[in-house]
Amino acid sequence: MSQLLLNALHCHNQERPPIWLMRQAGRYLQEYQVMRKGRRLYDLFHDLEAIIQATLLPINLLQVDAAILFTDILTVLEGLSIRYDFVDGTGPVVHALPDELLMIEPQTAYAHITSAIRALKKELSVPLLGFAGAPFTIACYLIEGKTSRDQAKTKRRLFSDPAGFQELIDTLTTATIAYLNCQIDAGVDAVQLFDSWASALGVWEFREYCLKPMQKIVSAIKPRVPIILFCRGSSLFASELASLKPSAISIDWSGDLPTIRKGIPRTIALQGNLDPMVLYGTRAGIEQATDRLLEGMQKEPGYIFNLGHGVLPDTPADHVKFLVDYVRTRSEAFAAA
Ligand code: CP3
């Protein structure tokens, strides 16, 4: 198996930086659209063959250095018997949040995920990343019922019933650890935690409802496999995230990565930082933005090339392919220089 990603996660990489992309298997790929046509997304996420095929698509089409399991952050809810669905044009929806959350046996709840991981591990020659949503982001989906821009209902709940909200976060933290442990038992090589809505919070609430649960998750998981932390607003929150001593932090596109690097201990790897919308521009623009990043992070043994957030659904697929090829060629030159 290629060691580039794992070496970078341990801040030991002496070769070119590895590259993978958040949402690398998605609608921007025509091959994915063909798989998806006429099918409900929920069904796709529960079809073993589809999970395997979608996970492998970007590996075969783009030759990225890591695979990420094709599932969604809402899958964790299956271990709490909470029903959800995906509605075209709306995204994920949770119809009702039960008064009491009961955990069911994780091995049973997540059997489709663990079977897919076992099968994928036999096929892949690059590491397989597992993932989960962070408790705060999952709480947002539970309380809002769907994607929200400002998380107003969630924040109203948090400020009006802090004890109840804390209880929900604690339950989700326990479920997330159980879910990630199932993924690790089945063979994932590293995991990423997505706190996509963390930036809706002020700093004090961020510390209470994002950092503290993430700390529990990092403490449980990092002794087993490397863990990458992502949140929207990670440029701003980088040093707070670093205080949890994760293996890596995935940085959005707001901050200057080499400057952020100076403030983070050298034992923590950094990932990301390219604005996904650069891919809407010209090839010359993609080259320029990539060169700037690679130059700034030259000879960094703990850098993983990625976008600052996921590939957008209407991104030209040929530009994504161009980016991956360009990063591989240019970063080899930078590594050799
Ligand atoms: O990166 C990958 O290729 C792996 C798969 C992956 C999916 N969701 C599959 C998916 C990952 C890592 C996720 C994480 C996820 N899901 C997050 C965290 C990352 C982030 O973007 O901040 C969040 C917030 C979600 C919730 C979610 N699921 C949203 C907002 C959507 C998109 C709705 C839309 O219509 O665009 C989904 C659906 C979803 N999850 C798709 C995929 C490939 C879209 C698939 C489709 O419509 O066919």
Side-chain angles (χ1 to χ4, degrees), residues 58-103:
I59 305 304
N60 299 331
L61 295 170
L62 304 173
Q63 279 88 47
V64 277
D65 297 306
I68 178 159
L69 191 66
F70 181 77
T71 178
D72 196 69
I73 55 169
L74 297 190
T75 309
V76 68
L77 300 181
E78 293 172 34
L80 292 164
S81 305
I82 300 175
R83 295 174 54 152
Y84 64 93
D85 201 356
F86 297 93
V87 177
D88 285 339
T90 303
V93 287
V94 180
H95 294 296
L97 175 56
D99 290 337
E100 209 184 345
L101 296 181
L102 291 176
M103 269 186 77

Side-chain angles (χ1 to χ4, degrees), residues 2 67 112 122 126 153 182 188-189 224 234 243-244 254 274:
S2 158
H112 59 303
K122 293 194 190 118
V126 293
K153 278 191 193 168
C182 277
V188 298
D189 300 288
R224 305 195 65 196
S234 54
S243 71
L244 308 184
S254 308
L274 189 76

Side-chain angles (χ1 to χ4, degrees), residues 163-184:
F165 190 74
Q166 184 64 59
E167 206 176 308
L168 174 62
I169 291 286
D170 289 345
T171 305
L172 291 173
T173 305
T174 308
T176 304
I177 292 172
Y179 179 42
L180 288 173
N181 272 326
C182 277
Q183 296 183 33
I184 299 167

Side-chain angles (χ1 to χ4, degrees), residues 20-27 32 36 41 45 68-74 86-92 131 137 141 147 194 196-197 230 232 309-310 313:
W20 70 279
L21 304 173
M22 289 185 261
R23 287 283 174 94
Q24 62 191 19
R27 277 173 296 182
Y32 173 77
R36 169 90 158 83
L41 187 54
F45 283 134
I68 178 159
L69 191 66
F70 181 77
T71 178
D72 196 69
I73 55 169
L74 297 190
F86 297 93
V87 177
D88 285 339
T90 303
F131 71 90
T137 288
Y141 279 99
T147 302
F194 288 93
S196 304
W197 299 116
F230 166 83
R232 209 175 273 183
H309 202 169

